[in-house]
Amino acid sequence: MLADVLREAEMRWPGNLYNRVDARSGEIECAPEAVSEICGWLFSEREYIFACLIAEERSPDWELRYVWYGAGDDGVIHVVARQPVAEQTFASLIGRVHAVDWSEREAEDLFGLVFQGHPRLGDFVLHDDRWNREVTPMRKQVDANAPLVRLLPEREWRPLLVLNAPGGFAMPIGPVYSGVTESALFLLETQGEDVIRCVPRLFYKYRALEKLAEGRTAAYALLLAERCNGTSAFAHSLAFCQAAEKIGGVNVPSRARALRILLAELERFRHHTAAIREICESTGLAVGASEAAILEEELLRLSCQYTGHRYLFGLNTIGGLTRDFEIGPCLQTLEMAQSILRRLERLEQRLRRTNTFVDRIEEVGSVSPQDAREFGLVGPIARASGVARDLRKMQPYSGYENFSFNVPQEQAGDGYARLRVLFAEARQAVGLIEQAVSALPLGPIRAETAHLAPGAALGWVEAPRGAAFHWLRLADDLTVERYHLATPSFLNWNGFHLATENFSFQDFPIILATFGLSMAENDR
Amino acid sequence: MILSGALLILFFALCFTGIALAVVLPQRHGSFALAVVASLAAAAITGLGGIVLLSGNSFQCPLWTIPELGTLSLSIDRLSALFLVSAGAVFLAASVFSNAYMQRYVGHYSLRSFSILYYALLLSVTLVLITGDVLAFLIAWEAMAILSYLLVNYEHEREKNIYAGWLMLALSEMGTMAAAFSLLLLANHAHSMSFAGFRGAFHDFGPGMRWAIFLLSFFGFGVKAGLVPFSVWLPRAHPAATANISAVLSGVILNLGLYGIVRVNLDFLPISLPGPGLVVLIVGSVSALIGILYATVENDLKTMLAHSSIENMGLITAALGAGFVFAVDGHTVIASIAFVAALYQMTNHSLYKSLLFLGAGTVDMRAGQRNMDKLGGLMKFMPWTALFLLVGALAISALPPFNGFVSEWLILQSLLRSVELNSIAIGTVFAFCAAALALTAGLVITCFTKAFSMIFLGLPRSPQVEEASEATPSMTVPMGVLAVLCLVLGVAPTWVIPVLDGALAPYAVSGATQALVPPFLNPATPGLPPDFVHDFHDLGAQIGAGIVPASGLVVLHRGGARNPVVFAMSTAYMLVVLVLLLAIVFAVVRFWLARGRTAVRRPLWAGGIQQLRPEMTYTATGYSSPVSVIFNAILHPGAAPETREVIYEHFRTEIRRGDREESHILDRLIFTPLAQGAMAIGNLCAKMHNGKLNTYVTYVLIVLLAVLLIR
Amino acid sequence: MSRWVLSGLKTGIKTTHYPAQQEIHAGVSPGLPVTGSAEGRTAEICPTAALTSSEGRIEVNYRRCIHCFRCVRSAESAPLDWQQGYEWAARAADRPALETGAFGRSLNVLVVDAGDCGACLSEIAQLTNPYYNIHRLGFFITPTPRNADVLLVVGPATDQMRAALKKAYDAMPEPRRVVAAGVCALSGGIFGPSLVSGAGAADVVPVDVEVPGCPPPPLAILHGLLVAVERKPSAFLSSPSAPANPVEAAP
């Protein structure tokens, strides 16, 4: 219970502000020194899950907001600390909560904050071989449109390698590699045959999306939210809209809420089909990959035929949807989705019976439940490692609480478990589409009035790859003051190296495919 | 005869002059004097050997008679002349190389003592090859063994070197004892200390005596030749030795072991049983395979070359073994082909291995590093050394048109002729050995592509490498000369084979020239169908026949009437065709395809990474790790000790892996159990000494009783 | 294994006949706005300033249109003509023409992701699926620039990908073409130019063919490749003279 947690926290650390914002969310305002202890307690004793770290430069103060969530009544807790802008040093949480690792590194790179005690700061979002360490693009005084002063890096970049062995070396893969792939650099540390460790170097595609949103209208920022990742555009636009709707107190009509679920699940279905195709491709199973690709293309055409866009762009708007769907197209969509699902299930049967395929993904890239929890993994990857985290269940939105579905879960944590989760979720998604279509309420698809107000709110969705959080703060003139996205790829890339310890080199594409993460979603 | 004698006297005079100069001259001029005088001396023995080898006149010279022991004498026949020539060539190159190379030791170690030991080694090696009686031979042999120990141990301040020296000395002394014992047995039976008296004196030996002599001498000389299982000293001695001594060790000293084996089993007591021949063949094949396996996974350049020497010695020994078996079986021509192949391989090995060791020394000196994991990219800084080492690597990898190809090809071909043998069992052994040698030949290529590419290609993996610069001409020129010799011996086998065959002429196994380089230009040549002769004539197989009698450019093995040609091969043509093809390709590209276009050099593509760093490039360990995985059962690398440093529970800061505890298969299977057994017996003996008087009294009583009982 | 052969055969042929015939299946393309009356606030509604009004008509700049649909779905805009189709690719005027047959019969394409959102890449990945199967046309995706003929760039060319993009182009042999696909690669889209990214691929490499769309559907990218090797005529990047070959609207 949220109330109990807040009360207990107040008893332990008196003198801080404990606000209960609404039934499902609370805020703890405390001194920067106390953050670490409170968060550590939330994480290890109350089993809250780390969502995101939001750093804001709100003159004259820094505002650091660690967001935590639990299931149901536990709600969402923001732990907020403030200190003057001139004071850039905060204590790192890294000793107590490992999941904050990358969030702190990101804030360090973008704002120039220093997290004392964090062992790996620098060369994260902003690459050291590109920019001087003084560059801090997210600071308010930096102009979003003027190119950053390209200060030359003061020293040569050397990769941070941990392998110290005779004849050890790091085989670089990327940033441009192997066909149609997103850009990232992987350094495979090896002595020759087996790869001992692999750490990705991301953010080659850093587009400063959060910075671009600042000073623009919420409607414009919605375009950015949608395009943070094209393959899960609807989920992200939904999270953004929910944040904006919360700020404005907009009541989304029930028909729009149900249609949003329909579309979100359609997107999930298509995303998982694509992920299955990639896994088949990575093992060299050409026929399986082609069959999945056929289904993927049919889903893309289906989306385009009924919504106008193959990737569901331009559908969400603050307050509802931009267009309505007749019951006919809805039923046809359902019918098509069900027929595609049947073919996908046949593919699943064949894959399960193909030993050469199963042997290649079984016991490959394993992540233990313990690690999944410690590193704060989300989505199908966490669920394949026995950590059943799903925001649709834990903190329902858009009416998911009225739908009956369960969260598929596997214990093995290997590549095959992740594949099984993908299949199960694809099935689940079609089931949800069916429920949405069968009980589609009548009414408008857009709130009559969608006036926004100054303020801040957090919106979240369970995107196809996992939990996504969008933090939106509107200024008095209703322009965006701060926009922050915590994406599932960002949370999960942090744990990628867990699956890439001591594996053989030819398994690398398979591990990559079974993780199915997006660089665009991570880099933003 | 007179010229030979004069050269010999000149040689001795030069050696003693050298020693005198070393004593008199200040240290800083020492290396120059050493280079000049020692290379002149080496040239003298090369000339001496060359005269005897080409003229075919043996050199005999009784020195003085010692009562009771017989006459000390010098005797150079063509066989010893062959060894003398290759030794001289290696000494010549190593001596010139010493001029610049030994500078690095000035001030650290005494150059004076090095020079004296070096001359003494040169003397003793020459004496081993030219003595004509048991006593002088043994004295020279022992001197050679001790001197090579002292020279290997030159950098005596390093702990590891001392251990390597001890091991070398201990095994060498065991070998000397066995060899001496076998020679003395022979001398005893022949009632003569002179080698000349040995010939034909042992007709009445039974198989037991023959086996005993064979085993003793094979062990005794095999230790020096670095054959399995007594090769363990070699990989330890080489890294300890200086580069020039390494070249001499591999190019000369190992050959002396072979010399002993050949001398005893071909000349003194020709093998007349198939068993010893098979033993030689199997030991040789196993040596070759084990040698190359360890060479492939080794990352220290000199240790790698040492393992590769074991492999080459194995190849030569295997060919000798095959020759012995063929000879016993009555196939003297095939036997002679095998022996020619062995001697060819031996000569080649002397040349390219000393080239490689000199190159290794150059790399070590200029780049300050011998570990292939840390080298890389040296081609830019040391182009000539790279070129010569490339030739050496190609030659040792047995790729045409270099010399290694001819000899290794002849070895494999002669092993394949096992189909002529009558016994199926022996044929099977041959098949296995041929397979082992073929695998060896494949692994050699892996081993040396790794060596060359990891040293010279890619990016420098340590800071000293980037500061490396080309060596002085006195270091590169000897390597260049050796590289040219590798090419010459490779393209002119038809000139070399008659010479080698001539060295075998006195023994019952010659005739390879007739089989391999037949004078079939003459249509009257018996044994070949006329139309066949005609065809080959048109092909120009006899080009060059006018220059050296009986030699064309094609080696072809003549069989019987039904199967006139068993195989044919011409490295000279290969070279011509290769050059021609390259020229054609160049011309086509330059004048036709790229006509009117300019070549554009595009930058390196490394996945678009900002800057490719040396730590992102393949290392030697990485290159050879597939081999170490495949041959895990033999190599048996112990688990590397691994420590993982972690902070905050989850941040890996370091995964440290130590060197793998490599136990050599021979240590594992033979020496460690032996040592443990010896220790156990020692401990048992120690227990008997409990210091109590009554125990000792009991021992005395027991012995007394035993003596009484036996009586 | 026979199971896979059988199921593969059972699936039959799915491949489109494009470019021999037009593909008319519903959903292959989201279409593009063409023109319309400039009444109302149509031009102001466009968040990327792709629409301009000229002489009472709307003109569309396809380098900027990101398929947000606001112009057609907003209550404040006048109805706009929306045209299905996909032959959108246009050759840059200032680039030299190719010699005929410069690439022979096959074409190797290197795909460089210079900061796209993933949708463009996903559409490129669809090109090899059985529906489009560009291999039948002799087009192949290659992982290295060394044997690439065409550089297919997506994304606005973020600063951290500039070096890699430039290196990929520099490593390609002549003759070479650059196809920029997606609005981001043409003009920076909604991401550029900004503090950390350029205004499209042309900032870094010379672009020969531009394929508009957000994302351009697979057939549009295919059209771009065909334009690059001059197997198809070029389209125009602004309406109303824009898309050739209209396709029947979806049922």
Side-chain angles (χ1 to χ4, degrees), chain A residues 94 98 101 117 119-120 129 156-158 162 164 166-167 169-170 172 174-176 191-193 197 374 501-502, chain B residues 373 607-611 613 615-617 619 621-622 625-626 644 647-648 650-657 659:
Chain A
I94 201 71
H98 188 78
D101 173 14
R120 298 234 168 108
D129 50 1
E156 259 183 275
W157 172 68
R158 278 170 187 276
V162 300
N164 176 3
F169 65 103
V176 179
Q191 275 182 299
E193 275 295 279
R197 180 188 148 94
E374 293 283 340
E501 282 211 343
N502 301 321
Chain B
D373 276 339
I609 196 166
Q610 189 102 358
Q611 192 200 356
R613 296 197 51 85
E615 56 263 42
M616 297 180 192
T617 57
T619 57
T621 310
S625 77
R644 294 183 169 226
I647 48 173
Y648 291 133
H650 298 292
F651 282 105
R652 287 232 183 293
T653 50
E654 195 174 27
I655 299 177
R656 207 169 30 241
R657 285 197 176 179
D659 279 312

Side-chain angles (χ1 to χ4, degrees), chain B residues 457-509:
Chain B
L457 308 180
L459 298 172
R461 279 185 288 268
S462 58
Q464 306 108 294
V465 175
E466 287 175 59
E467 287 152 23
S469 59
E470 184 59 279
T472 54
S474 72
M475 288 166 84
T476 49
V477 167
M479 289 194 277
V481 171
L482 288 171
V484 170
L485 282 176
C486 284
L487 183 65
V488 169
L489 284 194
V491 292
T494 48
W495 277 274
V496 181
I497 289 169
V499 174
L500 298 176
D501 194 35
L504 294 165
Y507 316 110
V509 291

Side-chain angles (χ1 to χ4, degrees), chain A residues 115-368:
Chain A
F115 289 88
Q116 218 149 39
H118 196 299
R120 298 234 168 108
L121 295 173
D123 193 44
F124 186 60
V125 179
L126 304 178
H127 291 171
D128 278 0
D129 50 1
R130 184 83 194 132
W131 276 304
N132 197 315
R133 294 285 290 277
E134 270 89 65
V135 174
T136 49
M138 287 302 285
R139 292 294 300 269
K140 287 289 182 207
Q141 71 263 27
V142 179
D143 182 1
N145 295 316
L148 278 181
V149 181
R150 291 182 214 292
L151 293 172
L152 283 177
E154 64 260 46
R155 60 192 152 80
E156 259 183 275
W157 172 68
R158 278 170 187 276
L160 179 72
L161 301 178
V162 300
L163 177 64
N164 176 3
F169 65 103
M171 188 187 292
I173 296 183
V176 179
Y177 63 101
S178 137
V180 188
T181 44
E182 292 192 72
S183 301
L185 174 66
F186 298 92
L187 289 167
L188 274 57
E189 292 177 54
T190 172
Q191 275 182 299
E193 275 295 279
D194 285 355
V195 182
I196 293 159
R197 180 188 148 94
C198 158
V199 174
R201 188 181 191 226
L202 299 164
F203 293 99
Y204 276 92
K205 298 166 64 169
Y206 175 59
R207 288 155 287 163
L209 202 139
E210 296 173 7
K211 182 77 182 174
L212 293 178
E214 285 176 14
R216 313 299 291 255
T217 62
Y220 186 86
L222 172 60
L223 295 173
L224 290 166
E226 209 162 53
R227 281 159 185 78
C228 90
N229 179 16
T231 51
S232 52
F234 190 84
H236 285 288
S237 63
L238 179 56
F240 179 87
C241 289
Q242 283 173 0
E245 284 152 9
K246 253 187 225 173
I247 299 174
V250 179
N251 225 345
V252 182
S254 59
R255 182 174 176 84
R257 285 151 63 95
L259 281 172
R260 276 175 170 182
I261 287 178
L262 191 160
L263 292 167
E265 295 303 322
L266 182 64
E267 181 174 81
R268 192 185 313 279
F269 186 28
R270 196 243 306 134
H271 171 270
H272 285 5
T273 311
I276 289 160
R277 164 178 62 81
E278 270 169 27
I279 292 171
C280 290
E281 263 170 15
S282 74
T283 60
L285 188 65
V287 185
S290 292
E291 289 188 10
I294 287 173
L295 303 181
E296 186 191 351
E297 172 68 18
E298 287 179 4
L299 280 166
L300 284 166
R301 288 183 179 186
L302 178 70
S303 308
C304 187
Q305 193 176 346
Y306 295 116
T307 71
H309 197 277
R310 287 161 63 92
Y311 293 87
L312 309 177
F313 284 9
L315 286 168
N316 264 317
T317 183
I318 298 163
L321 293 171
T322 56
R323 57 174 289 183
D324 198 1
F325 299 93
E326 304 292 328
I327 189 66
C330 286
L331 286 171
Q332 274 159 351
T333 304
L334 173 64
E335 200 179 307
M336 280 291 288
Q338 279 171 335
S339 111
I340 290 170
L341 178 68
R342 276 195 295 279
R343 284 150 68 196
L344 193 68
E345 280 175 333
R346 278 204 291 280
L347 177 65
E348 183 185 8
Q349 289 306 316
R350 275 202 298 280
L351 287 177
R352 277 169 184 260
R353 274 188 253 132
T354 306
N355 293 337
T356 49
F357 173 76
V358 175
D359 286 349
R360 291 216 61 188
I361 60 171
E362 220 171 8
E363 284 166 36
V364 163
S366 297
V367 179
S368 72

Side-chain angles (χ1 to χ4, degrees), chain C:
Chain C
M1 273 297 100
S2 57
R3 231 177 291 139
W4 290 105
V5 177
L6 210 66
S7 80
L9 288 173
K10 237 161 61 185
T11 311
I13 295 173
K14 298 268 185 190
T15 312
T16 174
H17 293 290
Y18 185 80
Q21 290 170 26
Q22 290 299 330
E23 174 64 53
I24 52 161
H25 195 284
V28 293
S29 163
L32 277 175
V34 184
T35 183
S37 149
E39 287 166 32
R41 295 182 56 238
T42 313
E44 290 100 89
I45 276 171
C46 182
T48 58
L51 307 182
T52 45
S53 65
S54 131
E55 295 164 11
R57 301 290 288 168
I58 288 289
E59 232 176 70
V60 188
N61 176 2
Y62 294 116
R63 285 202 181 84
R64 302 214 64 92
C65 172
I66 57 164
H67 290 183
C68 67
F69 299 97
R70 290 189 185 172
C71 51
V72 282
R73 291 181 193 160
S74 166
E76 296 172 63
S77 65
L80 217 62
D81 288 350
W82 195 270
Q83 198 171 58
Q84 300 297 316
Y86 42 78
E87 293 197 321
W88 300 340
R91 177 212 298 287
D94 55 338
R95 296 288 297 158
L98 271 181
E99 288 174 44
T100 38
F103 293 124
R105 285 191 207 179
S106 84
L107 193 73
N108 282 295
V109 181
L110 172 73
V111 181
V112 173
D113 163 21
D116 86 318
C117 68
C120 289
L121 268 192
S122 170
E123 293 292 47
I124 292 171
Q126 302 310 319
L127 281 177
T128 52
N129 80 21
Y131 274 105
Y132 303 110
N133 188 14
I134 52 167
H135 299 164
R136 75 202 146 97
L137 302 169
F139 292 176
F140 300 96
I141 309 264
T142 169
T144 158
R146 284 283 184 240
N147 56 352
D149 305 309
V150 168
L151 181 66
L152 180 53
V153 189
V154 293
T158 58
D159 271 354
Q160 307 201 119
M161 275 304 289
R162 282 176 88 96
L165 181 57
K166 186 85 179 77
K167 282 187 178 201
Y169 180 75
D170 286 344
M172 283 169 69
E174 298 276 5
R176 53 191 166 178
R177 302 266 105 176
V178 177
V179 177
V183 165
C184 293
L186 301 191
S187 65
I190 58 166
F191 297 121
S194 79
L195 74 172
V196 291
S197 70
D203 268 16
V204 187
V205 291
V207 172
D208 296 286
V209 176
E210 297 175 300
V211 186
C214 183
L219 287 174
I221 300 169
L222 181 54
H223 180 241
L225 295 176
L226 291 167
V227 168
V229 294
E230 319 219 346
R231 291 206 222 165
K232 276 275 180 185
S234 162
F236 297 92
L237 280 180
S238 63
S239 73
S241 44
N245 303 317
V247 175
E248 284 168 40

Side-chain angles (χ1 to χ4, degrees), chain B residues 195-354:
Chain B
F195 289 161
F198 283 9
R199 292 181 184 114
F202 311 111
H203 292 299
D204 50 344
F205 266 3
M209 195 61 187
R210 282 176 185 276
W211 267 106
I213 301 268
F214 162 74
L215 285 177
L216 278 172
S217 64
F218 187 54
F219 165 67
F221 293 118
V223 167
K224 198 77 315 198
L227 293 176
V228 162
F230 301 101
S231 58
V232 285
W233 63 275
L234 200 51
R236 294 182 172 104
H238 268 299
T242 56
N244 43 2
I245 294 306
S246 277
V248 169
L249 195 57
S250 255
V252 178
I253 310 287
L254 297 186
N255 284 355
L256 295 183
L258 292 177
Y259 174 72
I261 293 170
V262 172
R263 191 51 95 184
V264 170
N265 294 312
L266 210 57
D267 184 7
F268 301 162
L269 181 64
I271 282 182
S272 60
L273 301 163
L278 283 178
V279 169
V280 176
L281 173 63
I282 293 169
V283 167
S285 306
V286 172
S287 299
L289 193 55
I290 289 187
I292 196 59
L293 272 178
Y294 280 91
T296 309
V297 297
E298 179 61 50
N299 290 332
D300 183 291
L301 181 53
K302 284 183 87 177
T303 315
M304 183 278 272
L305 289 174
H307 281 297
S308 149
S309 288
I310 298 173
E311 174 252 336
N312 269 281
M313 286 296 131
L315 266 177
I316 300 164
T317 313
L320 289 177
F324 290 138
V325 176
F326 281 125
V328 171
D329 213 44
H331 301 282
T332 48
V333 173
I334 306 173
S336 104
I337 292 175
F339 281 119
V340 164
L343 293 182
Y344 209 143
Q345 176 80 14
M346 181 216 70
T347 315
N348 293 343
H349 177 246
S350 295
L351 293 177
Y352 54 60
K353 191 47 69 67
S354 49

